[in-house]
């Protein structure tokens, strides 16, 4: 294991909840139904695709022009940015600071593969910007998760072969992307959203370098 590539929202910090609150705010504004189960399917996917899915679920797929959709996305992002403006290093999820230290201590490369255009601001506020050897710019990609492009780009930026990378995700689209990239997939959360993951932990505090190394060895024995 020469590199670990992190998703951001819902893995490093609880901004997955902020995305939910911001989309729910928009759904209320335009008076369409929205709930946590719909939100589950939005995790990991782009702002544009999220709005399309939300409108489809709410029965408003053809109701808005492109200009109106742009406005809705802008409003969602404004609401979201007021939430992230309050983030501090205290908002790192339990165990993440420790894991980053353990990885640095073993000279394992650290990458970020987040679909969010707000990622640089968030990791700066969390005080961990300098821990990353590579951060993928999601606006430069042709395909979002579940396509593997974002994880393959992170590996290329880190100069590590995908087979030598582990990647950590909290969403179904993300786990699929990691597996299609040929990497060791770690899922954080409930088993039902982590189909295909090579290792599943319930909470971020369970993510230790020792556990990753042990499971990595088992995975190598089984697959190579
Ligand atoms: C992903 C989130 O990390 O980023 C999605 O899981 C979000 O919920 C996507 O829609 C895009 O984020 P942003 O900040 O660019 O709107
Ligand atoms: Mg996520």
């Amino acid at each position: 294991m020469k590199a670990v590539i992190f998703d951001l929202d819902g893995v490093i910090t609880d901004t997955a909840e902020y995305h939910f609150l911001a989309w729910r705010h928009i759904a209320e504004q335009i008076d369409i139904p929205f709930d946590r189960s719909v939100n589950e399917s939005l995790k990991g996917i782009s702002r544009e695709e999220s709005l399309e899915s939300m409108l489809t679920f709410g029965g408003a797929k053809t109701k808005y022009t492109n200009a109106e959709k742009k406005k809705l996305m802008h409003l969602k992002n404004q609401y979201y940015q007021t939430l992230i403006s309050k983030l501090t290093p205290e908002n790192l999820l339990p165990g993440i600071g420790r894991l980053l230290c353990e990885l640095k201590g073993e000279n394992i490369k650290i990458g970020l593969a987040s679909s969010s255009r707000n990622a640089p601001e968030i990791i700066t506020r969390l005080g961990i910007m300098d821990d990353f050897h590579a951060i993928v710019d999601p606006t430069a990609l042709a395909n979002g998760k579940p396509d593997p492009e974002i994880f393959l780009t992170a590996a290329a930026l880190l100069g590590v072969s995908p087979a030598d990378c582990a990647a950590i995700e909290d969403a179904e689209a993300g786990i699929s992307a990691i597996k299609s990239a040929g990497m060791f997939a770690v899922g954080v959360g409930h088993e039902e959203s982590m189909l295909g993951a090579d290792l599943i932990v319930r909470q971020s505090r369970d993510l230790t370098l020792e556990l990753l190394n042990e499971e990595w060895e088992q995975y190598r024995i089984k697959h190579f």
Side-chain angles (χ1 to χ4, degrees):
M1 193 170 72
K2 295 185 183 151
V4 174
I5 302 168
F6 289 80
D7 172 46
L8 173 65
D9 299 313
V11 170
I12 289 177
T13 187
D14 202 13
T15 38
E17 182 65 15
Y18 293 179
H19 281 293
F20 166 68
L21 294 174
W23 283 126
R24 191 179 64 181
H25 172 73
I26 296 303
E28 281 165 6
Q29 297 285 308
I30 61 174
D31 200 21
I32 61 168
F34 184 66
D35 59 26
R36 283 187 185 274
S37 69
V38 187
N39 185 65
E40 235 4 76
S41 66
L42 308 186
K43 286 184 176 173
I45 66 172
S46 70
R47 201 179 301 168
E48 290 72 11
E49 285 179 285
S50 298
L51 178 67
E52 290 299 335
S53 294
M54 194 177 95
L55 292 177
T56 303
F57 173 80
K61 189 174 160 50
T62 54
K63 199 170 163 192
Y64 298 98
T65 63
N66 283 343
E68 287 166 338
K69 286 184 199 169
K70 256 197 160 153
K71 181 127 184 269
L72 291 173
M73 286 188 282
H74 178 70
L75 287 174
K76 183 268 176 174
N77 198 47
Q78 269 186 330
Y79 190 95
Y80 182 71
Q81 285 184 328
T82 59
L83 296 174
I84 62 170
S85 69
K86 296 178 188 78
L87 290 173
T88 72
E90 303 267 285
N91 293 103
L92 273 179
L93 279 168
I96 295 297
R98 177 193 23 76
L99 178 60
L100 291 171
C101 277
E102 290 173 343
L103 294 171
K104 284 188 287 182
E106 294 297 319
N107 285 322
I108 295 171
K109 296 260 172 71
I110 303 173
L112 190 72
S114 170
S115 316
S116 172
R117 277 163 265 183
N118 291 293
E121 180 182 338
I122 293 173
I123 58 169
T124 301
R125 289 191 182 279
L126 294 171
I128 55 169
M129 176 61 111
D130 293 343
D131 292 339
F132 290 89
H133 302 99
I135 296 169
V136 179
D137 172 8
T139 63
L141 303 174
N143 302 296
K145 298 170 188 177
D147 189 278
E149 186 180 3
I150 193 165
F151 287 100
L152 292 173
T153 305
L157 290 172
L158 292 168
V160 175
S161 150
D164 294 330
C165 295
I168 311 178
E169 264 287 352
D170 71 319
E172 217 172 306
I175 297 287
S176 302
I178 298 171
K179 288 318 298 169
S180 302
M183 297 178 182
F184 179 74
V186 182
V188 186
H190 292 286
E191 274 184 31
E192 58 269 27
S193 317
M194 300 298 146
L195 286 179
D198 301 300
L199 163 66
I200 302 170
V201 296
R202 279 306 287 269
Q203 295 166 321
S204 59
R205 64 163 60 87
D206 304 329
L207 291 167
T208 62
L209 182 54
E210 194 187 354
L211 177 68
L212 293 185
N213 276 331
E214 277 170 18
E215 297 289 329
W216 174 273
E217 286 309 319
Q218 293 304 318
Y219 168 81
R220 302 289 294 188
I221 292 165
K222 232 168 58 194
H223 292 88
F224 296 94

